[in-house]
């Protein structure tokens, strides 16, 4: 047999195996990821909340995290890393190992708002792996009882009478409460003195103490303070009146089209394997089907959401466009 014929015969014997070899390599290379997902979690899961303890952003993941710990048989630790409208905690998760053991539980600012407001971020919010939206909470205008107005028209009249005198607490620059306050000022043609805090809990503490006059806050924590007589609920920011608060008017009844809500979600670091994202998503969806968890969310005035990572990604894109328009229209600038 000549050398050329031997070479041709060798190729004819080997080449049919090339697809099989490629398939075998693909299986071998993907096996560690699949095995990690099947074994997930096998140690403590850390959930970073980029806002202070005590607010809805902190309470909601604790409710779900407690159930996940029991389901998984592993500790689920909530760690607060507040500051810079959620950017500090978000950056920490962005640079964490993409193995599903460090997650970010956050309202929308670091995911869909801050990239429009901040000239430079230490992370790219578009690269997070969306996991799930836990719940959505409507915003509302709450006031220290020293504010005389009980209705939106009366409050607007009071603000017109003393331009720049009414102080409005926010959860920090670029947060939902800040942008909602800016939107109200634009639509009502009034001016507030904005007072930024590092989250909802300290802002509410300032409101209770009388350090500030009003706040556009989600109803998660503030509603209990309203029911206790410590704060005044002037109006809600839902398109229609809430079934649970039928006697409370909407801001839209005076300012048509006004609406604002905070949503609370879970994302994973970039390049987290899809199988692990799917495992976390399935577990949180299961948690949201538990009757007592649904009730605890309703107690926070939250609508349970759930759904797929793809649905969350689509919703995030919509929110980027919506809040971006608000920021550009109002001309929001960070101090």
């Amino acid at each position: 047999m000549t050398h050329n014929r031997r070479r041709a015969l060798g190729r004819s014997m080997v080449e049919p195996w090339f697809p099989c070899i490629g398939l075998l390599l693909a299986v071998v290379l993907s096996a560690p990821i699949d095995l990690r997902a099947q074994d997930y979690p096998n140690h403590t899961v850390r959930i970073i909340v980029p806002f202070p303890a005590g607010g809805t952003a902190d309470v909601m993941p604790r409710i779900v995290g407690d159930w996940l710990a029991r389901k998984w048989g592993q500790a689920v630790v909530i760690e607060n890393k507040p500051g810079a409208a959620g950017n500090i905690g978000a950056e920490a998760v962005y640079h964490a190992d993409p193995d599903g053991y460090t997650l970010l539980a956050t309202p929308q600012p670091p995911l869909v708002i801050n990239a429009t407001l901040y000239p430079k971020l230490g992370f790219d919010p578009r690269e997070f792996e969306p996991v799930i939206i836990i719940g959505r909470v409507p915003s509302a205008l709450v006031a220290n009882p020293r504010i005389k107005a009980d209705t939106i028209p009366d409050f607007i009249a009071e603000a017109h009478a003393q331009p720049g005198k009414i102080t409005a607490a926010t959860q920090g620059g670029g947060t939902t409460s800040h942008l909602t306050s800016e939107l109200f000022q634009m639509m009502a043609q009034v001016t507030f003195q904005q007072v930024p805090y590092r989250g909802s809990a300290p802002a509410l503490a300032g409101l209770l103490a009388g350090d500030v006059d009003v706040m556009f806050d989600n109803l998660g924590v503030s509603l209990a303070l309203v029911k206790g007589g410590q704060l005044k609920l002037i109006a809600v920011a839902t398109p229609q009146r809430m079934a649970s608060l039928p006697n409370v008017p909407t801001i839209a009844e005076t300012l048509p089209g006004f609406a604002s809500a905070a949503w609370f979600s879970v994302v994973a670091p970039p390049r987290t394997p899809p199988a692990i994202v799917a495992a976390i998503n399935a577990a949180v969806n299961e948690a949201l089907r538990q009757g007592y968890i649904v009730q605890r969310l309703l107690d926070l005035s939250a609508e349970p959401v759930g759904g797929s990572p793809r649905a969350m990604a689509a919703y995030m894109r919509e929110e980027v466009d919506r809040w971006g328009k608000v920021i550009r229209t109002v001309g929001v600038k960070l101090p």
Side-chain angles (χ1 to χ4, degrees):
M1 183 180 294
T2 66
H3 178 68
N4 288 339
R5 289 182 64 190
R6 283 197 299 268
R7 286 174 56 190
L9 180 60
R11 284 199 303 271
S12 68
M13 294 175 65
V14 172
E15 286 175 356
W17 289 92
F18 283 170
C20 297
I21 293 171
L23 179 61
L24 180 61
L25 284 172
V27 170
V28 170
L29 291 174
S30 66
I33 292 176
D34 293 337
L35 289 174
R36 283 205 307 264
Q38 291 172 11
D39 193 35
Y40 178 88
N42 59 21
H43 60 269
T44 298
V45 175
R46 190 169 59 125
I47 299 179
I48 303 296
V49 174
F51 291 93
T56 307
D58 172 71
V59 174
M60 199 174 291
R62 289 184 188 276
I63 293 171
V64 174
D66 179 66
W67 186 88
L68 292 175
R70 294 197 301 275
K71 172 182 172 59
W72 287 336
Q74 300 291 343
V76 175
V77 176
I78 306 297
E79 182 178 334
N80 300 91
K81 281 185 176 291
N87 290 341
I88 293 174
E91 184 173 349
V93 175
Y94 181 83
H95 294 291
D97 290 337
D99 55 9
Y101 290 94
T102 302
L103 305 171
L104 179 70
T106 182
Q108 61 261 52
L111 299 181
V112 302
I113 293 174
N114 294 355
T116 308
L117 278 176
Y118 287 79
K120 186 177 181 181
L121 295 175
F123 61 96
D124 185 345
R126 298 169 299 181
E127 294 183 355
F128 281 115
E129 301 292 344
V131 177
I132 196 166
I133 297 175
I134 300 173
R136 188 183 295 114
V137 184
S139 298
L141 174 59
V142 291
N144 184 282
R146 71 165 175 250
I147 290 291
K148 297 176 182 178
D150 292 319
T151 67
I152 289 295
D154 288 347
F155 176 68
I156 292 174
E158 190 172 339
H160 276 147
Q162 41 183 341
K165 298 293 186 181
I166 291 179
T167 52
T170 75
Q171 299 157 351
T175 58
T176 308
S177 63
H178 174 209
L179 296 184
T180 305
S181 179
E182 294 284 0
L183 182 62
F184 185 92
Q185 291 176 84
M186 180 189 72
M187 294 181 69
Q189 298 184 334
V190 297
T191 303
F192 301 144
Q193 181 182 340
Q194 303 274 27
V195 182
Y197 288 82
R198 296 184 67 183
S200 182
L204 284 172
L207 186 60
L208 288 167
D211 299 331
V212 288
D213 298 315
V214 299
M215 181 179 178
F216 289 88
D217 189 30
N218 68 75
L219 284 173
V221 174
S222 55
L223 185 58
L225 300 172
V226 170
K227 290 180 176 179
Q230 297 162 277
L231 294 178
K232 180 191 296 187
L233 174 58
I234 297 178
V236 294
T238 49
Q240 293 85 32
R241 293 195 181 197
M242 297 175 61
S244 58
L245 298 168
N247 296 323
V248 178
T250 68
I251 297 174
E253 291 172 27
T254 303
L255 302 174
F258 191 99
S260 176
W263 47 270
F264 303 86
S265 64
V266 178
V267 298
R271 298 176 301 282
T272 298
I276 290 179
V277 170
I280 302 167
N281 172 271
V284 177
N285 269 313
E286 186 179 349
L288 294 176
R289 291 192 293 269
Q290 307 304 308
Y292 83 94
I293 288 183
V294 170
Q295 185 57 54
R296 290 195 66 185
L297 294 183
L298 292 174
D299 291 343
L300 293 172
S301 301
E303 167 201 1
V305 178
S308 68
R310 181 176 295 181
M312 179 181 169
Y315 186 69
M316 284 174 61
R317 289 191 293 270
E318 293 173 6
E319 285 282 275
V320 168
D321 291 340
R322 187 168 80 89
W323 288 112
K325 288 176 182 176
V326 171
I327 292 166
R328 288 187 290 271
T329 301
V330 177
V332 177
K333 302 291 183 184
L334 294 179

